[in-house]
Every structure is written in C-alpha cells, then in structure tokens.
Amino acid sequence: MISAAQPGTIHDFGGFPEELYRMRYPAPGSPDLAQRISGLLQGAGIANRLDAERGFDHGTWTPLILAWPEADIPVVQVSINSRETPEYHYRLGQALERLRDENILIIGSGAITHNLHAFFRGGYAADAPAQPWVTDFLGWLDAHLIADDHQAVLRAIGQAPHGTDNHPTMDHILPLFVALGAAGTQGKATKLHASVEYGVLAMDAWRFD
C-alpha cells in the first residue's frame, strides 16, 4: 500500500506510444489514511505493509487522469495480490466498507475483459465489434451483478462463458471483487458505462450504492 505524501508516476507497461510514457499524475498521497487502511486490513486478518517509496502504477493513474485531471484529490493505492483468490479480495473490500460512510471513494480499477494476446494477435480496428466470446462473458456478468449475486460473480472466471478467454490472468478482474466487497449487502449495482475497443477490450464501469 502506498503511503508516500507525494507519490511518483510509474509507467509499468510496454509497447505503447511514447506520449503515454511522458504522462504524469501528481496527485498527493495521504499517509494518515494509508495508516488507517492498514489497520483496518490488519483487523480483518489481512497482512499488509506500507510503502513510502512506490509511486502510482497505471492501474491507478490512467483512470484518475481522466476522472480528476487536476490531480487535486488525495489518493491511496492499495495493491491486489495476484497469488490470492477472489474471496480474499472480496474480504479486503469488506474491511474497507466503513470508509464509504466517511466520503472516501473506493475504486476497483481494472478492465472487465483483458486479453492482450488476443488484442495484439487479432489486428482489430479500434471500432471493431465485440467478439462473441466477449459479449457472452459480459452478458453473464451483467446478469449476476444486477441480481446482486456476489457469490456467482466471485466464480466468474470458472463458471461464466469464456471466463479464462477474457481473463487469462486475474489481475484486471480482482479489483472488481474488492469493490463488490466494499459495496456491502446493500450495495446495488448500476452500470455507468459500456464500451468495447479493438473487439476484445471491454471497459464497462459499475457503481455500487
């Protein structure tokens, strides 16, 4: 978890236009909030550590630079653990639920589908229609999110149509499980945005309130 007062910007990706590597997101951190989050996680039996040196990786700054381009709100980045389960990340979100009552926004940042091998191999145009294996997965996930069926959503990769095709690795869907846990039992799902780029990269956004 980042606890720096002024985190830097990390460009942890490759093969993209040079302009992307020149972007910076100078939002302030919040060491006090980071310390509090650490305590909440410890109280839930979730081991964690504070990192006062690490900057914001692209999972944090790429969505925030669009939502808050002025970078004028404090941000604390809490990392996922790719070695852990969906249930672990759901419990992590549950540990943070009380922060919502204090006007602290909890964002699970990833992509609702994320198969870069298919993206690079496919040669799709930016406006290519979504592939059937993408729309089948999205339809299943939409139905279970709207039904507030959290347990089904946690099993999406194993049970949804083409789960592993859309997420060969779990890093882009694990944040959804954190947000779902933080939503609590009263957190109704509302879709805010839906789009697919290059036929395979879906960018749906959901709100839980």
Side-chain angles (χ1 to χ4, degrees):
M1 182 186 327
I2 294 175
S3 60
Q6 291 292 330
T9 303
I10 299 174
H11 301 82
D12 52 333
F13 43 73
F16 294 94
E18 180 60 31
E19 290 82 358
L20 198 56
Y21 301 92
R22 293 198 291 267
M23 298 180 76
R24 298 291 184 273
Y25 193 69
S30 177
D32 289 344
L33 179 58
Q35 188 70 52
R36 177 148 184 249
I37 292 171
S38 178
L40 291 174
L41 296 180
Q42 291 284 3
I46 298 173
N48 65 91
R49 65 181 181 86
L50 300 174
D51 189 334
E53 303 298 326
R54 183 176 172 83
F56 298 134
D57 63 38
H58 79 281
T60 293
W61 67 263
T62 54
L64 291 183
I65 205 169
L66 299 174
W68 285 277
E70 298 84 4
D72 57 354
I73 60 170
V75 176
V76 173
Q77 177 181 308
V78 180
S79 297
I80 60 169
N81 186 337
S82 59
R83 296 184 296 275
E84 288 287 356
T85 64
E87 290 77 13
Y88 166 93
H89 289 85
Y90 188 77
R91 289 193 297 106
L92 191 156
Q94 288 177 313
L96 304 181
E97 180 185 356
R98 70 184 66 181
L99 298 177
R100 299 176 61 201
D101 297 329
E102 302 173 24
N103 203 32
I104 295 172
L105 178 63
I106 301 169
I107 299 175
S109 167
I112 208 74
T113 69
H114 193 262
N115 187 330
L116 288 185
H117 294 294
F119 164 69
F120 285 117
R121 286 197 316 264
Y124 304 107
D127 59 352
Q131 296 299 295
W133 52 272
V134 173
T135 56
D136 287 350
F137 176 79
L138 292 175
W140 186 96
L141 197 58
D142 282 2
H144 288 88
L145 283 169
I146 291 169
D148 298 317
D149 190 346
H150 292 195
Q151 293 306 308
V153 175
L154 292 176
R155 298 190 297 269
I157 300 308
Q159 295 190 4
H162 306 289
T164 55
D165 292 330
N166 285 281
H167 290 281
T169 62
M170 295 283 282
D171 52 318
H172 271 259
I173 197 169
L174 290 176
L176 171 63
F177 307 140
V178 176
L180 203 63
T185 57
Q186 303 303 314
K188 299 299 181 182
T190 303
K191 182 180 280 192
L192 301 178
H193 171 80
S195 65
V196 177
E197 297 182 0
Y198 298 99
V200 298
L201 302 178
M203 302 293 180
D204 295 8
W206 290 81
R207 181 181 69 206
F208 302 98
D209 57 12

